Amino acid sequence: MRYLVDRSGKFRSYLGAPPPALFTAGLLRYRGDGVGLQLTSVGSAALDAYLARKAALDTLPYTLTRNPLREELHRADEPIRILRQIPTGREIAPGATLTDPTGHPVTYLGPTMSSDDRGATWRPTFTARVSYQDHGGWLYPPAALGAAYDAEQVAPGTQEPG
């Protein structure tokens, strides 16, 4: 089996050979010594096109979602979207025990959080994070828990008393 030796750094590393399709497509070729690799002009053009497309995509706005399956209660210093029981309208605070769609008890942790400014500020979304005692975090649409989120988010520390 062929392998490649990367000598670009202080330590050598051994890599598997590139896929044969790269040679078949004319993107790569072995140098005259049969050992070194070289990008062909077609391969170089393909790489340039990829880098141009990647640069264009990097300029587009994007949304980050903080690890939605983390098993911690919603941070009190961040805005929250209030979850309410559908039949009664009572607030369901983070830490409350609910019933999942299959009848098992879960602990409501808070909404997932997202950011449009690369994590500088976070805002609550409309997906509920819950935790099972036996097997960790899970996400549900609030309706699956018999609840609904208020449309507007609430500033930290202004929730109704539990």
Side-chain angles (χ1 to χ4, degrees), residues 69 71 130-138:
L69 296 179
E71 288 189 68
V130 299
S131 175
Y132 287 89
Q133 186 175 9
D134 297 339
H135 56 275
W138 204 259

Side-chain angles (χ1 to χ4, degrees), residues 113-146:
M113 300 291 283
S114 66
S115 172
D116 291 330
D117 56 9
R118 300 178 188 243
T121 58
W122 294 91
R123 69 180 187 295
T125 66
F126 290 94
T127 305
R129 293 184 305 113
V130 299
S131 175
Y132 287 89
Q133 186 175 9
D134 297 339
H135 56 275
W138 204 259
L139 301 175
Y140 283 110
L145 302 171

Side-chain angles (χ1 to χ4, degrees), residues 86-102:
I86 290 174
T88 65
R90 277 193 44 231
E91 178 182 342
I92 301 169
T97 301
L98 304 173
T99 304
D100 77 355
T102 60

Side-chain angles (χ1 to χ4, degrees), residues 9-30:
K10 183 177 176 183
F11 302 103
R12 290 182 181 181
S13 59
Y14 297 88
L15 310 167
L22 293 177
F23 296 96
T24 306
L27 301 174
L28 272 180
R29 69 173 167 231
Y30 283 104

Side-chain angles (χ1 to χ4, degrees), residues 61-111:
Y62 59 90
T63 299
L64 296 174
T65 300
R66 189 184 302 143
N67 181 1
L69 296 179
R70 71 189 193 288
E71 288 189 68
E72 61 186 40
L73 287 177
H74 186 80
R75 296 177 186 167
D77 62 338
E78 292 184 322
I80 191 168
R81 212 171 282 284
I82 304 297
L83 184 66
R84 298 187 184 279
Q85 294 175 339
I86 290 174
T88 65
R90 277 193 44 231
E91 178 182 342
I92 301 169
T97 301
L98 304 173
T99 304
D100 77 355
T102 60
H104 294 92
V106 295
T107 302
Y108 172 63
L109 301 173

